[in-house]
Amino acid sequence: HHVEVDLSLPTWSDTLVTKYHFDPTRPTIWILEGLTMYLLDEEMETLARLVSTLSAEGSHLLVDCFATHYRAARTGAWRFRHDDLAVYFQPFGWNGVATDYKELGRLIGRPNDASPGGYFLYQGTKVTPNST
């Protein structure tokens, strides 16, 4: 379902539940694509905590993120970066793995040897019900 919320507001999770009737007792999938690079560390922690609180056991989480060393041809105002998203999300109740997109390209037969590496896709499953 498409929902419109302002993730910069601390009340977005309340809006999701009240306006859009989101049920945090049912497993869901969260796709945080093209987002983390614009968040400050504190904002990312708040987002991770809220998503985790809203997630029932068995929910899924997909997040892309740059490593701390990542440098691309176009330097953006990338803020949040992390080298091991599996470690980052574990305290929030998620069990998962982060794979470099360069490796994912190889796995599906579309290698990109020009990629500098350091851009990850995290795939996690909520193993601790509604906890942070």
Side-chain angles (χ1 to χ4, degrees), residues 61-81:
L61 177 64
L62 297 170
V63 180
D64 61 350
C65 179
F66 292 105
T68 55
H69 72 276
Y70 187 83
R71 297 286 181 261
R74 296 182 314 187
T75 303
W78 300 323
R79 295 174 175 178
F80 177 79
R81 296 178 185 211

Side-chain angles (χ1 to χ4, degrees), residues 56-100:
E57 188 172 0
S59 293
H60 295 279
L61 177 64
L62 297 170
V63 180
D64 61 350
C65 179
F66 292 105
T68 55
H69 72 276
Y70 187 83
R71 297 286 181 261
R74 296 182 314 187
T75 303
W78 300 323
R79 295 174 175 178
F80 177 79
R81 296 178 185 211
H82 203 278
D83 292 324
D84 193 340
L85 291 176
V87 170
Y88 182 85
F89 283 107
Q90 191 172 20
F92 297 103
W94 298 91
N95 184 21
V97 62
T99 307
D100 194 301

Side-chain angles (χ1 to χ4, degrees), residues 10-122:
T11 56
W12 73 264
S13 59
D14 296 332
T15 302
L16 188 63
V17 172
T18 57
K19 183 177 178 183
Y20 294 101
H21 310 289
F22 180 81
D23 183 355
T25 65
R26 296 180 61 196
T28 193
I29 185 167
W30 299 92
I31 302 171
L32 307 179
E33 178 190 13
L35 172 65
T36 63
M37 66 193 77
Y38 300 107
L39 301 176
L40 298 171
D41 289 348
E42 309 83 49
E43 294 168 330
M44 183 60 201
E45 184 175 338
T46 298
L47 179 61
R49 184 178 299 111
L50 288 173
V51 164
S52 298
T53 300
L54 290 168
S55 296
E57 188 172 0
S59 293
H60 295 279
L61 177 64
L62 297 170
V63 180
D64 61 350
C65 179
F66 292 105
T68 55
H69 72 276
Y70 187 83
R71 297 286 181 261
R74 296 182 314 187
T75 303
W78 300 323
R79 295 174 175 178
F80 177 79
R81 296 178 185 211
H82 203 278
D83 292 324
D84 193 340
L85 291 176
V87 170
Y88 182 85
F89 283 107
Q90 191 172 20
F92 297 103
W94 298 91
N95 184 21
V97 62
T99 307
D100 194 301
Y101 275 103
K102 189 170 185 170
E103 177 61 21
L104 288 173
R106 283 190 197 110
L107 291 172
I108 64 169
R110 296 184 66 183
N112 180 0
D113 294 329
S115 171
Y119 182 40
F120 298 98
L121 174 65
Y122 171 78

